[in-house]
Amino acid sequence: MDSVPALDEPLKKVLGPATAKVMAEHLGLHTVGDLLHHYPRRYEERGQLTHLADLPMDEHVTVVAQVADARLHTFASSRAPRGKGQRLEVTITDGSGRLQLVFFGAGVHKPHKELLPGTRAMFAGKVSVFNRRLQLAHPAYELLRGDAEETVETWAGALIPIYPATAKLESWKIGKALQTVLPSAQEAADPLPESLREGRGLVPLPEALLKIHRPHTKADIEEARARLKWDEAFVLQVALARRRHADAQLPAVPRRPRPDGILAAFDDRLPFTLTEGQRKVSEEIFADLATDHPMHRLLQGEVGSGKTLVALRAMLAVVDAGGQAAMLAPTEVLAQQHHRSVTEMMGELAQGGMLGGAENATKVVLLTGSMGAAARRHALLDLATGEAGIVIGTHALIEDKVQFHDLGLVVVDEQHRFGVEQRDALRGKGKQPPHLLVMTATPIPRTVAMTVFGDLETSVLDQLPAGRSPIASHVVPAADKPHFLARAWERVREEVEKGHQAYVVCPRIGDEEDGAKAKKKSDEDEAEKRPPLAVLDTAEQLARGPLAGLRVEALHGRMQPDDKDAVMRRFAAGEVDVLVATTVIEVGVNVPNATVMVIMDADRFGVSQLHQLRGRVGRGSAPGLCLLVSEMPEASAARQRLNAVASTLDGFELSRIDLEQRREGDVLGQAQSGTRSSLRMLAVIDDEEVIAEAREEATRIVAADPDLERLPALRTALDALLDEEREQYLEKG
């Protein structure tokens, strides 16, 4: 394989150790090639100014603007008691809005001399709010002087690339580093087959890299973007196409249900008819199970659309065919919940080998890490002998000791919470690869499914079963309208008086040691946000204050499994009125009598997470109510996100909004591992066409040349994309 020496050159050789260290630690850039693929986030024209009115809160931004005025104030503080403290306030403007910059202490001298009214500069810093106004505290800045030989026209028309930057390394310093490595772009190997590139009118890769970093015109930027998007979409789709190709070569045992077996008996027991969607999806799954290579299917369904029922029918079909099925849940609470609901749904069909069990019954066993030794031994024996047709458990199922008689199907619940190695280890337990069904309640737009789960076929359940109630959602602006929050607690009391129950969700547990750190705040940090609300504090305050007299209990992930299960059981039995919890309740917890949920500091959660949480109420016949409490100002992006959640119950619509706001930073599962996203140019939502076309091209190329022997540059690009971690992520996707 031809390596590309110039692009593999470590940055510390080219830029020096200090800059290279910051780039590696803060931006994940290690080689010349990494830096060339660190694209500008946007471009500023020197003659035009940034829209200060649209700045996002809490983000590191770079703006180009003009100084309107600068004032030096003196004040008394604990550090300068005799009125000797200095604060420089500089107002910058761009015509659309104004922004205040503040400098303190010894840091005021240089900007006081340089930032005179009329001066233009690039400013970089983190946007915060002080006295209800946006500000940048101690921003870094670079004056825009224009070289003497530049005419005013060329200076004003030049496009300044603004790079994703960090507090340690401003955008213009990244730009200077790129200036140094840009000549190496000529040696970039082009991963696109020539026929494809020419057929689609795309510029060669070296030209695209030059144009993205040093464009002369906006057309240059467009050409470069079009080309670089194709690279990302295509290389990723080739990786997925090779996965699908390899999977199609694997053998599997076909599993077909018997007409008079346990599945038929189960269907006869059901007190309701399946929805149209459940029937259709079940047919897709049964068709896959009947083939002689492993099923790889993703089952997406809105919260409460009946995914568990569809998965159970698939498991029963496999038991009918003489195999075993394993269901893997991300937490013990959820595994126990699934075990309870599956045994309840199956009734005597789950009592194989017991008195009162039906004649074609099987055993349904639970296997979790906290089980007693005797119960565990028993469960393991039932699995090894084949006595148990269905096992439900946590990652305890994956341990070496667990042996299956004949594992035919693996069902993974809430797939994004599972480590890749774990899914693989479970798949390795079958004599031949088992069929795989992955379930998620997080709706995923079609293009994302093609990108992230490109090696899985997708089924969607989008109807809610009859009898489910709609959920009303409202934003409670606690800072602007404190009486709204008081009313929220009254609503909780009203629901409890009607015999219902409530959840209160908080972002933090509250037994962390953060009190000491919080005290050491300097004057300029006063405006920093308070820590998020905690379960333990909130439960205590509610029980003493607005919810006094109600039965309030706390639930969080650090409790002992038995304690957690005991609290959940008491709540399910109606012995607890209000459960104050972290997001441990986000997935799968089913208490139909709970009708109201109050989410504290709702702006600290993602859109999809809020939608998931909200799905815990309105599960019975009484309507559900979800109150999103936030102290963020009305105009902030966080409040707009909450308004979006309150305005629709359509999870697919929300997942689009979520992606548009978060970008695709973690599309390849990199959020969990903290490394950079491999998608830098491609926007999964906007570039639907590119992704769909790249998928077709990739499938065609892999079918003709699975090992890419005729395309060495594409292989090199693939190896770069699929470093160990991503390779594994895709494999078990």
Side-chain angles (χ1 to χ4, degrees):
M1 185 174 300
D2 318 357
S3 69
V4 187
L7 299 197
D8 289 343
E9 188 82 35
L11 287 173
K12 61 172 174 279
K13 281 194 178 167
V14 188
L15 303 175
T19 308
K21 185 171 185 243
V22 176
M23 286 199 170
E25 285 175 8
H26 294 273
L27 296 167
L29 307 174
H30 302 278
T31 64
V32 169
D34 289 347
L35 181 54
L36 285 173
H37 288 292
H38 186 72
Y39 307 133
R41 177 174 282 164
R42 57 192 171 81
Y43 301 84
E44 291 291 2
E45 285 182 72
R46 281 179 166 153
Q48 288 182 338
L49 293 169
T50 323
H51 274 279
L52 294 180
D54 307 333
L55 290 182
M57 274 289 296
D58 272 346
E59 278 192 28
H60 204 85
V61 298
T62 302
V63 298
V64 176
Q66 187 163 342
V67 176
D69 67 39
R71 293 175 190 184
L72 192 60
H73 301 274
T74 53
F75 61 92
S77 73
S78 54
R79 293 186 192 165
R82 289 195 298 279
K84 294 285 171 56
Q86 287 195 309
R87 183 172 77 238
L88 175 66
E89 289 180 5
V90 178
T91 307
I92 58 174
T93 177
D94 66 348
S96 80
R98 296 166 88 79
L99 179 65
Q100 193 167 41
L101 316 177
V102 286
F103 300 88
F104 290 94
V108 304
H109 307 306
K110 184 168 175 272
H112 192 212
K113 284 208 297 276
E114 294 183 333
L115 297 179
L116 305 171
T119 309
R120 283 191 169 184
M122 286 197 272
F123 301 93
K126 193 172 174 185
V127 183
S128 58
V129 170
F130 184 70
N131 282 345
R132 298 196 153 249
R133 287 179 35 214
L134 292 181
Q135 71 165 23
L136 296 182
H138 282 285
Y141 61 87
E142 172 95 331
L143 301 177
L144 294 176
R145 297 196 174 90
D147 297 339
E149 61 268 21
E150 276 187 313
T151 65
V152 175
E153 283 72 31
T154 57
W155 185 83
L159 292 160
I160 307 171
I162 304 288
Y163 289 94
T166 75
K168 297 268 190 301
L169 198 66
E170 294 86 15
S171 168
W172 51 88
K173 289 185 182 158
I174 297 172
K176 284 175 185 164
L178 266 151
Q179 208 53 49
T180 311
V181 302
L182 209 50
S184 310
Q186 292 305 337
E187 299 188 37
D190 201 324
L192 291 192
E194 202 167 325
S195 56
L196 189 157
R197 185 168 62 71
E198 288 175 354
R200 296 188 175 273
L202 300 167
V203 300
L205 181 58
E207 187 183 327
L209 290 171
L210 287 171
K211 286 182 168 172
I212 201 79
H213 293 297
R214 291 289 167 271
H216 294 298
T217 62
K218 289 187 177 164
D220 285 353
I221 300 171
E222 285 316 302
E223 278 189 351
R225 279 193 167 149
R227 163 62 215 245
L228 295 166
K229 278 180 180 183
W230 249 95
D231 275 19
E232 280 175 19
F234 179 69
V235 175
L236 183 54
Q237 291 301 339
V238 167
L240 293 165
R242 290 183 72 194
R243 250 336 295 142
R244 290 196 300 275
H245 186 269
D247 285 339
Q249 315 304 311
L250 292 173
V253 180
R255 311 279 179 175
R256 295 184 184 83
R258 298 202 312 274
D260 56 348
I262 189 169
L263 175 62
F266 174 76
D267 284 349
D268 290 344
R269 283 181 52 90
L270 282 179
F272 49 80
T273 53
L274 298 177
T275 65
E276 182 56 39
Q278 286 171 328
R279 271 207 302 279
K280 183 175 133 289
V281 169
S282 289
E283 277 161 22
E284 291 170 352
I285 292 171
F286 293 153
D288 283 0
L289 289 173
T291 61
D292 54 11
H293 57 88
M295 161 170 86
H296 288 102
R297 191 167 279 280
L298 172 71
L299 173 56
Q300 284 182 250
E302 278 287 12
V303 176
S305 57
K307 291 184 301 298
T308 313
L309 176 63
V310 169
L312 176 54
R313 293 185 75 235
M315 295 198 288
L316 294 174
V318 169
V319 173
D320 261 350
Q324 291 169 294
M327 183 183 231
L328 206 51
T331 62
E332 295 215 348
V333 168
L334 201 52
Q336 286 160 339
Q337 178 109 18
H338 276 318
H339 183 253
R340 271 202 294 278
S341 60
V342 164
T343 45
E344 277 166 22
M345 281 198 267
M346 286 175 65
E348 71 266 21
L349 293 173
Q351 297 168 3
M354 296 182 225
L355 278 172
E359 61 179 289
N360 48 7
T362 187
K363 259 191 193 172
V364 180
V365 299
L366 176 69
L367 192 62
T368 63
S370 64
M371 282 169 78
R376 190 178 167 75
R377 244 193 339 270
H378 219 89
L380 289 173
L381 188 65
D382 285 343
L383 286 180
T385 58
E387 193 89 346
I390 294 178
V391 56
I392 295 170
T394 54
H395 49 261
L397 281 177
I398 295 160
E399 292 170 13
D400 292 342
K401 292 191 200 74
V402 181
Q403 298 295 324
F404 288 86
H405 178 64
D406 178 14
L407 180 61
L409 170 67
V410 175
V411 178
V412 179
D413 189 19
E414 282 310 316
Q415 106 97 23
H416 56 279
R417 293 162 174 263
F418 259 109
V420 166
E421 299 76 18
Q422 298 171 322
R423 270 194 314 265
D424 218 33
L426 191 53
R427 271 162 63 171
K429 297 261 179 205
K431 296 187 176 69
Q432 285 194 328
H435 298 282
L436 177 69
L437 179 65
V438 167
M439 300 198 295
T440 175
T442 310
I444 304 163
R446 177 176 154 263
T447 40
V448 182
M450 273 198 290
T451 308
V452 186
F453 302 109
D455 55 341
L456 298 176
E457 299 298 327
T458 305
S459 295
V460 178
L461 277 177
D462 45 13
Q463 292 167 290
L464 285 187
R468 290 299 294 269
S469 310
I471 304 167
S473 306
H474 303 285
V475 178
V476 177
D480 312 349
K481 299 180 178 162
H483 59 287
F484 275 37
L485 184 58
R487 176 72 189 115
W489 301 127
E490 282 171 25
R491 284 292 289 117
V492 170
R493 277 190 171 283
E494 287 163 16
E495 287 299 310
V496 172
E497 278 160 19
K498 289 184 201 161
H500 296 306
Q501 290 158 281
Y503 295 101
V504 177
V505 181
C506 303
R508 226 166 37 105
I509 295 173
D511 52 6
E512 303 88 349
E513 293 176 23
D514 48 15
K517 288 185 212 128
K519 292 191 182 70
K520 296 183 187 161
K521 293 240 167 173
S522 62
D523 306 343
E524 55 263 45
D525 287 339
E526 287 303 313
E528 277 295 351
K529 299 213 296 280
R530 58 168 177 72
L533 290 171
V535 166
L536 299 174
D537 309 341
T538 305
E540 198 179 317
Q541 287 159 7
L542 290 175
R544 282 208 312 262
L547 302 183
L550 302 187
R551 296 168 299 176
V552 177
E553 288 207 30
L555 176 73
H556 58 77
R558 265 194 237 129
M559 289 163 68
Q560 289 301 317
D562 290 353
D563 299 345
K564 260 193 292 202
D565 196 44
V567 172
M568 257 338 289
R569 278 176 190 275
R570 284 201 295 279
F571 188 63
E575 294 160 20
V576 173
D577 298 319
V578 180
L579 187 64
V580 183
T582 54
T583 54
V584 290
I585 60 153
E586 173 186 359
V587 196
V589 172
N590 185 17
V591 179
N593 191 42
T595 54
V596 59
M597 175 178 286
V598 181
I599 302 179
M600 307 304 290
D601 281 340
D603 46 272
R604 311 271 176 131
F605 299 98
V607 169
S608 298
Q609 201 173 25
L610 291 169
H611 182 58
Q612 283 277 43
L613 284 166
R614 162 171 73 181
R616 302 295 116 220
V617 295
R619 298 177 78 86
S621 50
L625 172 66
C626 177
L627 301 172
L628 306 166
V629 179
S630 171
E631 293 186 357
M632 294 304 276
E634 184 133 14
S636 62
R639 271 286 284 283
Q640 287 161 11
R641 218 171 50 229
L642 296 181
N643 292 340
V645 174
S647 67
T648 176
L649 289 173
D650 179 343
F652 286 92
E653 177 56 30
L654 286 174
S655 67
R656 285 187 81 94
I657 294 168
D658 195 17
L659 262 176
E660 280 162 3
Q661 293 197 332
R662 281 186 312 145
R663 292 277 310 171
E664 290 75 24
D666 47 9
V667 158
L668 265 191
Q670 298 303 299
Q672 288 89 325
S673 60
T675 48
R676 274 174 325 137
S677 156
S678 60
L679 300 188
R680 301 183 195 124
M681 192 54 80
L682 198 66
V684 174
I685 293 284
D686 303 337
D687 299 320
E688 192 156 343
E689 261 170 60
V690 176
I691 293 169
E693 288 171 17
R695 184 178 165 119
E696 277 173 33
E697 292 276 10
T699 308
R700 190 174 56 72
I701 282 169
V702 170
D705 180 8
D707 293 329
L708 309 178
E709 283 166 1
R710 297 192 287 281
L711 298 165
L714 176 54
R715 291 225 26 180
T716 307
L718 204 57
D719 294 339
L721 169 78
L722 302 182
D723 50 40
E724 281 302 291
E725 186 170 26
R726 288 200 191 102
E727 171 79 23
Q728 289 180 336
Y729 182 82
L730 286 173
E731 280 198 354
K732 291 68 171 199

